[in-house]
Structures are given as structure tokens and as C-alpha cells.
Amino acid sequence: MSTGMSRRAAKTALTLTTAGALGFGLMAPAASAANGPCYDGRCQGSVSAPKTIKVNSSKFGFGKLKITSISSRSVRMSAAGGALTGSTSPGGVVQFNNLKIWVKSVSGSKARLQLFPTRY
């Protein structure tokens, strides 16, 4: 009976963790709750603009990635207090230092993004 309870508790914890990540707008399997799901530079999900995504500043050279606008033709973003700016159409990639941001698609006012580091 205790084994069933442990499995149930583990499943509930996973559900709550996933729900929390989805509520943030982006999700990652090994996310740190204190820093957000994209802190390690590996996540994917849908966002609306404006959106600020917290990332590890010691790995990427900036701590906040800002999605500033989304249209059917482009997604605009900035980092490092505006020192790094870029935009791309759906299907394109923007790279800030060693973090790549892939705009997988745009639907209405939401963009589906995937972030991944180019190196550690």
C-alpha cells in the first residue's frame, strides 16, 4: 500500500511541476524552480510579447532575454539591456552569444520558441 502512495505522490509532484512550467509559458524538463524553466538555456514553448525569460548570465553573458514583439512575419527580441537585438521570421534562428533562439512558428500573437545553448 505504501508503494502505491509513493507512486501517486510522485505522479502528483510531476503534474504540479509541469503545470507550473506551463503557467510560465515555457517549459524544460530539468528546470530550476527558483530561476525559471529556461535558466539553463534549454526549453521550448509558446510566448506572447512582451515576455522576459531569465537565463544564466554566467553562461550566456546576459541574464534576461526579452521578446519585444510578435507578428505573423517576425519575432523581435533583445538581451543585455538592449545591447543585443535581433529578429527573425517563423522558422528562423537568432543567436545571442552562445544561446540560440529558434522561432519554430507563429500563431496569432503567440510564438513557439525553442532555446538551446551552442556550448557550455
Side-chain angles (χ1 to χ4, degrees):
M1 176 112 175
S2 68
T3 304
M5 293 300 285
S6 295
R7 287 184 190 157
R8 189 172 305 138
K11 184 175 181 182
T12 301
L14 176 63
T15 301
L16 292 173
T17 301
T18 303
L22 289 171
F24 180 79
L26 293 171
M27 59 183 210
S32 167
N35 292 314
C38 295
Y39 192 73
D40 68 352
R42 295 181 182 276
C43 63
Q44 62 180 330
S46 295
V47 297
S48 298
K51 179 72 171 180
T52 299
I53 302 166
K54 189 173 181 181
V55 296
N56 186 331
S57 61
S58 65
K59 282 186 181 181
F60 304 114
F62 56 90
K64 294 178 182 176
L65 169 67
K66 295 182 180 184
I67 307 303
T68 57
S69 69
I70 298 171
S71 73
S72 61
R73 292 185 161 177
S74 71
V75 175
R76 294 184 186 277
M77 56 198 84
S78 67
L84 301 171
T85 61
S87 66
T88 188
S89 57
V93 174
V94 171
Q95 182 170 341
F96 293 148
N97 298 336
N98 59 342
L99 179 67
K100 286 189 177 184
I101 304 98
W102 175 24
V103 178
K104 295 175 88 170
S105 63
V106 173
S107 178
S109 62
K110 292 190 177 220
R112 182 143 178 80
L113 306 178
Q114 183 168 352
L115 279 62
F116 51 96
T118 58
R119 62 185 171 89
Y120 290 101

